[in-house]
Amino acid sequence: MDAIIQEFWKGRERKKPDGQCIATTLSTTVDPERLRRFVNSANAQSIKPQIQDRIRYDLSGRRCNCSKDEADGWGNIYEAFWKAASEIVVIQDGRGKSSWSTVYEAWKDVVLNVSRGFTNYNFERWALPVLEATARDLRILALKADDERNNTNTEDTPSFGDDFDLEGEKHQKLEDCARQLNRLFTLCLNDRAELERSRKWSIYYIINLLFKTYFRLNKASLSRNLIKALLAYRGDMPELTQFKVSEVVTFQYFQGVLEFLEENYVKAEDHLTEAFFMCHRDCIGNKERILTYLIPCHLLTSHSLPSDKLLAPFPKLQSLFGPLSTAIKHGNLKAFDEALQECEDEFVQRRIYLTLERGRDIALRNLLRRVFLAGGLEEGKNGGEPIRRTRVPVSEFQAAVSLVSGEAVDADEVECLLANMIYKNLMKGYIAHDRGIVVLSKAGAFPGTKV
Amino acid sequence: MMPSWPTAQAPPPPPPGTQAYSYNMVPAYTAVTNVRHSFGTSYQTHDSSAHYSQPYHSQTQTVTHQATPPPQPPPATAEPPKVEWPDSVRRYVQRSFLPSNMDPAVDRKEMEDKLKEIISSAKDDNTMMSIDWDEMPLPQTIIRTERGNNLMSNGFSQAVATQVHHIPRPSVPLYSPAKASFDVTLSNRHHNSKKRKSSDIADDARSSNTPPWRSNNHNHNQGSLKERTSFSPDKRRYDDAKASKSQTKLEKRQRRFDGGYQSAYRSPSPEPSAGPVIGTCMELEKRYLRLTAAPKPSAVRPESVLQQTLELLKKKWKREGNYAYICDQFKSLRQDLTVQRIKNDFTVTVYEIHARIALEKGDLGEYNQCQTQLRALYKLGLKGNPTEFKAYRILYFIHTANRTALNDAIADLTSVEKDEHAIRHALNVRSSLALGNYHKFFQLYLETPNMGAYLMDMFVGRERLAALCNICKAYKPDVKLRFITEELGFESDAEACQFIVDYSGQDLLQQKDDYIIFQTGKAGLLFESARSEAFRKVDIKGQI
């Protein structure tokens, strides 16, 4: 106990209290031995008075720096922490009956007491790291508890719904965790204290935790509500730039992915680009995550492909996007389909499959453009500059498409593909069905490609 | 009808000892209730012999409980008591015998016995005047509740339950005088325990889902366990405040004893109140009602009945085709499966059939509920037609334009499944639409396997509009109507023509010598607004 309380005293010094320091004392993972000693130094009856006493007076009998209220708040937190810790120690020792679910419930109490510290016991801004750290651990413990329960096949809980809720049962604790985090979110959002002492400074930390939780629960759309709530309070909120860069990057990333999932590729591109450039240069993993969505965005918004230089530091992305890019560049439909198929599982899992699939249009455009270029030049009228042949038989396109896709494609289907190109403004011109030719625009048949 | 219970037969207050054996035969339910009461305040009055005999007592009771379901106490043969029954009790007795209150499932004999038991226990406890007899549930109701609870807790089959009272009673040796002292304590205990019984029954009837003795036992067990293991300071304070120290200690010790033995001798079934309901309802049909509380076993049909229900519903659907009725019945069927936690191949069959019927009727709300369940059930490895329904699922999400769910649906597929005909078809439909390949899409539309066409019909209209927009922009100056008919999968030129006219494109059609042309070049943005309207109006929930 002494080790932990001493740390607490160190953190709670008068002039410059250090929440980070206190947060480390409330960690479930740092040092198993210290946790055990802490648990063994008290029992269920003695912990409350012991803790209260030790928080108010240090070993030499010196009074604590904080007010009585605040000391009570900390006392409650450490008491709850002791209970959670003793459950963890039981698990570590492999004796008795405890489970991560029990730990989770106990830890929920810790988080509850921390949030009470802010509402009832005058905790100030410096203590926010404690809130953040305990909230973070809550999510970790929820995941552990769900894992454990799903692996041990426990009895079903009775439900009175009309149908089973099998998904929900799988994520019981995590769903509960989402509710708890949501409460913390409101706790931070609604704080009316002036900015220097506001709980608002934890808002993005909590939001990011919630994003992660919602994505894990496959309920990403719920994140929308958070962003809406945040927007409503925009006026009272400190500028995004004043927050920790790490929090901002994560926030922008998730916002980008959300927009991406809703097919708002332009907005998604903005957020992701922001995140990409703010991301620490050594965070290869994070950059990779951002690019996973940013590259498909670019493909759709500006028809541009990632350069080799960009992909160089990310072998994973190289293998995912490399073959696809080459196929698009060459207009090789077959190679494109194969590349897409090759990594299908990976793409589907990252939810970019349906977006990348649309890259086939670009591949097709490039192919048709090649056919057009191969058509060569015709003599200009009245001996003028030679111009490109703009009347192209459908059969030429048909031959090209059949060739590169490796199967015979009939004329009607090719016309259909051409019609699509025209409709999407990837190609300018029209189809004269009866005569079986395509008439392309003399001024820029393939917009954006200098032809 | 006159009360058939002459006062002469009413059991007298049993003089301890002499009447002992009749108590040996109290129905299992009452016996368990005894045990439960033994936790209560009645303890202080017990002598130690009562206390120590308890474990043995509860053991025999448990055995009786399992092996021989409730034999009723034989009519007491003691001398007629001279008791004046209060009016309220008389009214209660009368009420019990009203023909309208008779329960066909409870035979008269059993009901009468129960009635006697209730009244005599009230008399024994001197609660005759304090009980609100007008609010007291009827004996037949109580019997039913107890049966349900008994079934639920022991997993007895319905058959056993109905035969309950035919089972021969324990034979003579049980009553042998050798057991006298035991019996004395027993009767003594029984006497005390009756104190709370009638009111308990009243309580039971009000919140009759969990058998009171069970839930209470359960709590007590927990309590005693906790007391042994936990050091919670709160508990202590509570105890200290409650009574003098010595008494508290005594109580605690007694409770510990009882609790400990209790749990050891109880049937090995899992925690009673936590388990799923086991239904006892034998009706084949049942109206759907959304549950707001735990269901009563008497209102839930067991699986064997549900299987017959399904057969009945299948026949009725074929014969009558009344969707409102069928849907309602299927919903209650599903509900019964859910509350009993029945998750097996039969469950899958139920959901599959309901899904198909809903699909046929275009009830996408129900269909979606079914397919969501099916997805989870298939994941459990249950048998059914996963390929068929996974294909529907893909088509459904194409219709609702739910990209996230579509992505999940694809992620669910194994590579083997992707090669199954129906799923391959659905995937091709999806990719052809994603790439705007209407030519391929309408070819696929014409060869949809299973019932997928019901789903495709829902979005084929908007895809036709999209394709028409495409064609109008790309083809100049015109195409033959036949081309439209073929490309957009219409059955005939007339149908294609009608479609164009429906979206006010009649001016674009022009009769030539032997064919009609469709002047795409002049269409401009005619179909664009209809198209965006059609794509906007996807009801995500699909409710009708």
PDB file of all heavy atoms in Angstrom, chain B residues 5-12 76 78-81 83 85 116 119-120 123:
ATOM      1  N   TRP B   5     -67.633 -28.913   0.866  1.00  0.00           N
ATOM      2  CA  TRP B   5     -66.691 -29.161   1.948  1.00  0.00           C
ATOM      3  C   TRP B   5     -67.382 -28.876   3.268  1.00  0.00           C
ATOM      4  O   TRP B   5     -67.395 -27.756   3.740  1.00  0.00           O
ATOM      5  CB  TRP B   5     -65.475 -28.266   1.772  1.00  0.00           C
ATOM      6  CG  TRP B   5     -64.437 -28.523   2.799  1.00  0.00           C
ATOM      7  CD1 TRP B   5     -64.349 -29.557   3.649  1.00  0.00           C
ATOM      8  CD2 TRP B   5     -63.347 -27.674   3.086  1.00  0.00           C
ATOM      9  NE1 TRP B   5     -63.272 -29.455   4.429  1.00  0.00           N
ATOM     10  CE2 TRP B   5     -62.615 -28.295   4.118  1.00  0.00           C
ATOM     11  CE3 TRP B   5     -62.894 -26.460   2.559  1.00  0.00           C
ATOM     12  CZ2 TRP B   5     -61.467 -27.736   4.644  1.00  0.00           C
ATOM     13  CZ3 TRP B   5     -61.757 -25.922   3.082  1.00  0.00           C
ATOM     14  CH2 TRP B   5     -61.046 -26.555   4.110  1.00  0.00           C
ATOM     15  N   PRO B   6     -68.047 -29.874   3.783  1.00  0.00           N
ATOM     16  CA  PRO B   6     -68.732 -29.654   5.055  1.00  0.00           C
ATOM     17  C   PRO B   6     -67.730 -29.315   6.138  1.00  0.00           C
ATOM     18  O   PRO B   6     -66.615 -29.829   6.142  1.00  0.00           O
ATOM     19  CB  PRO B   6     -69.416 -31.004   5.342  1.00  0.00           C
ATOM     20  CG  PRO B   6     -68.871 -31.969   4.353  1.00  0.00           C
ATOM     21  CD  PRO B   6     -68.061 -31.261   3.348  1.00  0.00           C
ATOM     22  N   THR B   7     -68.146 -28.475   7.011  1.00  0.00           N
ATOM     23  CA  THR B   7     -67.238 -28.050   8.071  1.00  0.00           C
ATOM     24  C   THR B   7     -66.720 -29.235   8.873  1.00  0.00           C
ATOM     25  O   THR B   7     -65.644 -29.207   9.418  1.00  0.00           O
ATOM     26  CB  THR B   7     -67.944 -27.093   9.038  1.00  0.00           C
ATOM     27  OG1 THR B   7     -69.309 -27.472   9.085  1.00  0.00           O
ATOM     28  CG2 THR B   7     -67.805 -25.666   8.604  1.00  0.00           C
ATOM     29  N   ALA B   8     -67.536 -30.275   8.881  1.00  0.00           N
ATOM     30  CA  ALA B   8     -67.132 -31.441   9.657  1.00  0.00           C
ATOM     31  C   ALA B   8     -65.797 -31.991   9.197  1.00  0.00           C
ATOM     32  O   ALA B   8     -65.041 -32.535   9.986  1.00  0.00           O
ATOM     33  CB  ALA B   8     -68.194 -32.526   9.539  1.00  0.00           C
ATOM     34  N   GLN B   9     -65.508 -31.820   7.906  1.00  0.00           N
ATOM     35  CA  GLN B   9     -64.276 -32.426   7.402  1.00  0.00           C
ATOM     36  C   GLN B   9     -63.058 -31.541   7.544  1.00  0.00           C
ATOM     37  O   GLN B   9     -61.949 -31.954   7.255  1.00  0.00           O
ATOM     38  CB  GLN B   9     -64.460 -32.773   5.941  1.00  0.00           C
ATOM     39  CG  GLN B   9     -65.012 -34.177   5.774  1.00  0.00           C
ATOM     40  CD  GLN B   9     -64.864 -34.631   4.367  1.00  0.00           C
ATOM     41  OE1 GLN B   9     -64.112 -34.038   3.600  1.00  0.00           O
ATOM     42  NE2 GLN B   9     -65.580 -35.667   4.007  1.00  0.00           N
ATOM     43  N   ALA B  10     -63.287 -30.338   7.904  1.00  0.00           N
ATOM     44  CA  ALA B  10     -62.146 -29.418   7.977  1.00  0.00           C
ATOM     45  C   ALA B  10     -61.119 -29.950   8.968  1.00  0.00           C
ATOM     46  O   ALA B  10     -61.484 -30.383  10.043  1.00  0.00           O
ATOM     47  CB  ALA B  10     -62.612 -28.057   8.425  1.00  0.00           C
ATOM     48  N   PRO B  11     -59.882 -29.941   8.594  1.00  0.00           N
ATOM     49  CA  PRO B  11     -58.883 -30.509   9.495  1.00  0.00           C
ATOM     50  C   PRO B  11     -58.743 -29.658  10.744  1.00  0.00           C
ATOM     51  O   PRO B  11     -58.725 -28.439  10.653  1.00  0.00           O
ATOM     52  CB  PRO B  11     -57.602 -30.475   8.670  1.00  0.00           C
ATOM     53  CG  PRO B  11     -57.848 -29.485   7.607  1.00  0.00           C
ATOM     54  CD  PRO B  11     -59.324 -29.389   7.389  1.00  0.00           C
ATOM     55  N   PRO B  12     -58.667 -30.318  11.851  1.00  0.00           N
ATOM     56  CA  PRO B  12     -58.499 -29.602  13.109  1.00  0.00           C
ATOM     57  C   PRO B  12     -57.053 -29.211  13.301  1.00  0.00           C
ATOM     58  O   PRO B  12     -56.195 -29.731  12.601  1.00  0.00           O
ATOM     59  CB  PRO B  12     -58.896 -30.648  14.133  1.00  0.00           C
ATOM     60  CG  PRO B  12     -58.471 -31.941  13.482  1.00  0.00           C
ATOM     61  CD  PRO B  12     -58.570 -31.750  11.999  1.00  0.00           C
ATOM     62  N   ALA B  76     -58.229 -35.327   6.743  1.00  0.00           N
ATOM     63  CA  ALA B  76     -57.970 -35.541   8.159  1.00  0.00           C
ATOM     64  C   ALA B  76     -59.159 -36.270   8.779  1.00  0.00           C
ATOM     65  O   ALA B  76     -60.312 -35.987   8.471  1.00  0.00           O
ATOM     66  CB  ALA B  76     -57.773 -34.214   8.863  1.00  0.00           C
ATOM     67  N   ALA B  78     -59.595 -36.684  12.100  1.00  0.00           N
ATOM     68  CA  ALA B  78     -59.768 -36.333  13.506  1.00  0.00           C
ATOM     69  C   ALA B  78     -61.187 -35.855  13.772  1.00  0.00           C
ATOM     70  O   ALA B  78     -61.992 -35.666  12.854  1.00  0.00           O
ATOM     71  CB  ALA B  78     -58.792 -35.240  13.906  1.00  0.00           C
ATOM     72  N   GLU B  79     -61.480 -35.644  15.023  1.00  0.00           N
ATOM     73  CA  GLU B  79     -62.840 -35.275  15.414  1.00  0.00           C
ATOM     74  C   GLU B  79     -63.199 -33.933  14.799  1.00  0.00           C
ATOM     75  O   GLU B  79     -62.335 -33.074  14.579  1.00  0.00           O
ATOM     76  CB  GLU B  79     -62.982 -35.230  16.938  1.00  0.00           C
ATOM     77  CG  GLU B  79     -62.361 -34.014  17.605  1.00  0.00           C
ATOM     78  CD  GLU B  79     -60.902 -34.232  17.960  1.00  0.00           C
ATOM     79  OE1 GLU B  79     -60.195 -35.016  17.272  1.00  0.00           O
ATOM     80  OE2 GLU B  79     -60.452 -33.621  18.906  1.00  0.00           O
ATOM     81  N   PRO B  80     -64.460 -33.775  14.458  1.00  0.00           N
ATOM     82  CA  PRO B  80     -64.889 -32.537  13.817  1.00  0.00           C
ATOM     83  C   PRO B  80     -64.624 -31.334  14.723  1.00  0.00           C
ATOM     84  O   PRO B  80     -64.974 -31.375  15.904  1.00  0.00           O
ATOM     85  CB  PRO B  80     -66.393 -32.741  13.589  1.00  0.00           C
ATOM     86  CG  PRO B  80     -66.769 -33.962  14.351  1.00  0.00           C
ATOM     87  CD  PRO B  80     -65.556 -34.743  14.644  1.00  0.00           C
ATOM     88  N   PRO B  81     -64.019 -30.334  14.227  1.00  0.00           N
ATOM     89  CA  PRO B  81     -63.730 -29.168  15.045  1.00  0.00           C
ATOM     90  C   PRO B  81     -64.972 -28.301  15.163  1.00  0.00           C
ATOM     91  O   PRO B  81     -65.854 -28.342  14.305  1.00  0.00           O
ATOM     92  CB  PRO B  81     -62.658 -28.466  14.241  1.00  0.00           C
ATOM     93  CG  PRO B  81     -62.923 -28.859  12.834  1.00  0.00           C
ATOM     94  CD  PRO B  81     -63.618 -30.171  12.853  1.00  0.00           C
ATOM     95  N   VAL B  83     -65.557 -25.020  14.740  1.00  0.00           N
ATOM     96  CA  VAL B  83     -64.994 -23.739  14.321  1.00  0.00           C
ATOM     97  C   VAL B  83     -66.062 -22.941  13.601  1.00  0.00           C
ATOM     98  O   VAL B  83     -66.813 -23.484  12.799  1.00  0.00           O
ATOM     99  CB  VAL B  83     -63.806 -23.958  13.346  1.00  0.00           C
ATOM    100  CG1 VAL B  83     -63.181 -22.630  13.016  1.00  0.00           C
ATOM    101  CG2 VAL B  83     -62.804 -24.909  13.935  1.00  0.00           C
ATOM    102  N   TRP B  85     -66.565 -20.561  10.799  1.00  0.00           N
ATOM    103  CA  TRP B  85     -65.815 -19.999   9.664  1.00  0.00           C
ATOM    104  C   TRP B  85     -66.294 -18.589   9.384  1.00  0.00           C
ATOM    105  O   TRP B  85     -67.492 -18.370   9.312  1.00  0.00           O
ATOM    106  CB  TRP B  85     -66.008 -20.861   8.427  1.00  0.00           C
ATOM    107  CG  TRP B  85     -65.532 -22.275   8.619  1.00  0.00           C
ATOM    108  CD1 TRP B  85     -66.293 -23.368   8.803  1.00  0.00           C
ATOM    109  CD2 TRP B  85     -64.185 -22.692   8.682  1.00  0.00           C
ATOM    110  NE1 TRP B  85     -65.527 -24.479   8.976  1.00  0.00           N
ATOM    111  CE2 TRP B  85     -64.204 -24.089   8.910  1.00  0.00           C
ATOM    112  CE3 TRP B  85     -62.947 -22.052   8.583  1.00  0.00           C
ATOM    113  CZ2 TRP B  85     -63.064 -24.842   9.028  1.00  0.00           C
ATOM    114  CZ3 TRP B  85     -61.806 -22.815   8.707  1.00  0.00           C
ATOM    115  CH2 TRP B  85     -61.859 -24.197   8.925  1.00  0.00           C
ATOM    116  N   LYS B 116     -58.545 -27.215   1.307  1.00  0.00           N
ATOM    117  CA  LYS B 116     -58.459 -27.566   2.720  1.00  0.00           C
ATOM    118  C   LYS B 116     -57.123 -27.125   3.288  1.00  0.00           C
ATOM    119  O   LYS B 116     -57.029 -26.575   4.379  1.00  0.00           O
ATOM    120  CB  LYS B 116     -58.599 -29.085   2.870  1.00  0.00           C
ATOM    121  CG  LYS B 116     -60.039 -29.549   2.830  1.00  0.00           C
ATOM    122  CD  LYS B 116     -60.071 -31.064   2.922  1.00  0.00           C
ATOM    123  CE  LYS B 116     -61.236 -31.610   2.124  1.00  0.00           C
ATOM    124  NZ  LYS B 116     -61.113 -33.048   1.893  1.00  0.00           N
ATOM    125  N   ILE B 119     -56.933 -23.399   3.869  1.00  0.00           N
ATOM    126  CA  ILE B 119     -57.726 -22.889   4.985  1.00  0.00           C
ATOM    127  C   ILE B 119     -57.200 -23.400   6.322  1.00  0.00           C
ATOM    128  O   ILE B 119     -57.067 -22.636   7.287  1.00  0.00           O
ATOM    129  CB  ILE B 119     -59.214 -23.274   4.801  1.00  0.00           C
ATOM    130  CG1 ILE B 119     -59.710 -22.590   3.519  1.00  0.00           C
ATOM    131  CG2 ILE B 119     -60.025 -22.858   6.000  1.00  0.00           C
ATOM    132  CD1 ILE B 119     -61.156 -22.772   3.252  1.00  0.00           C
ATOM    133  N   SER B 120     -56.816 -24.663   6.329  1.00  0.00           N
ATOM    134  CA  SER B 120     -56.336 -25.174   7.610  1.00  0.00           C
ATOM    135  C   SER B 120     -55.032 -24.483   8.006  1.00  0.00           C
ATOM    136  O   SER B 120     -54.784 -24.214   9.183  1.00  0.00           O
ATOM    137  CB  SER B 120     -56.154 -26.684   7.553  1.00  0.00           C
ATOM    138  OG  SER B 120     -55.209 -27.008   6.574  1.00  0.00           O
ATOM    139  N   LYS B 123     -55.828 -21.316   9.468  1.00  0.00           N
ATOM    140  CA  LYS B 123     -56.385 -21.499  10.805  1.00  0.00           C
ATOM    141  C   LYS B 123     -55.249 -21.762  11.804  1.00  0.00           C
ATOM    142  O   LYS B 123     -55.207 -21.182  12.890  1.00  0.00           O
ATOM    143  CB  LYS B 123     -57.351 -22.673  10.773  1.00  0.00           C
ATOM    144  CG  LYS B 123     -58.169 -22.840  12.000  1.00  0.00           C
ATOM    145  CD  LYS B 123     -59.388 -23.684  11.662  1.00  0.00           C
ATOM    146  CE  LYS B 123     -59.937 -24.326  12.903  1.00  0.00           C
ATOM    147  NZ  LYS B 123     -59.036 -25.310  13.476  1.00  0.00           N
TER     148      LYS B 123
END
